[in-house]
Amino acid sequence: MRPEYAVDRKKLAARRPIHPGIIFAEEVMPELRRHRTIGEIATLLGVSRQTLHRVMVGDISISSEMAVRLGKLCGNGPGIWIRLQGRYDTWEAARRLGNRIEKIPTLA
């Protein structure tokens, strides 16, 4: 029987999510690269190699359009990619706003 581990939700919330482009680069691309070059994959996606590279290193966000492209290529749909990007962007915004967000009252 596997032991159970307590999860400290505060620590988990404080940890930066992984950019979805990095997830794509580390989890999906190695399998795709077994049969295709990066240039070929970029062509299949309808983007430049530079754009694909910038997504995979986390320099640019995965747009709705890119999410549709990745979802089609991977066969898992755009939802997963756009949700991962949304989680990443929300975390970044919350850190950027910092104490200013705490000053806003919750009315409901």
Side-chain angles (χ1 to χ4, degrees), residues 3-107:
E4 291 187 28
Y5 298 97
V7 175
D8 185 345
R9 298 256 180 229
K10 289 182 181 179
K11 285 184 182 177
L12 191 61
R15 193 170 58 194
R16 170 189 239 149
I18 299 172
H19 189 282
I22 294 171
I23 294 171
F24 178 78
E26 292 179 1
E27 301 296 328
V28 178
M29 279 299 282
E31 184 61 29
L32 297 177
R33 291 275 309 187
R34 292 177 67 208
H35 306 288
R36 310 234 184 219
T37 66
I38 292 177
E40 290 171 331
I41 294 166
T43 300
L44 290 172
L45 288 169
V47 299
S48 69
R49 287 179 60 232
Q50 292 81 10
T51 298
L52 181 57
H53 175 75
R54 291 182 67 206
V55 166
M56 293 190 323
V57 297
D59 282 350
I60 60 174
S61 296
I62 291 180
S63 65
S64 298
E65 190 173 292
M66 181 61 82
V68 170
R69 293 169 191 262
L70 292 176
K72 176 64 170 125
L73 183 73
C74 299
N76 59 5
I80 182 94
W81 300 107
I82 209 69
R83 285 190 301 274
L84 287 168
Q85 187 65 54
R87 184 177 303 143
Y88 182 85
D89 291 345
T90 302
W91 188 92
E92 289 286 330
R95 295 302 171 268
R96 193 171 45 252
L97 291 171
N99 293 334
R100 292 179 286 174
I101 203 72
E102 291 177 14
K103 295 177 184 176
I104 298 173
T106 302
L107 299 178

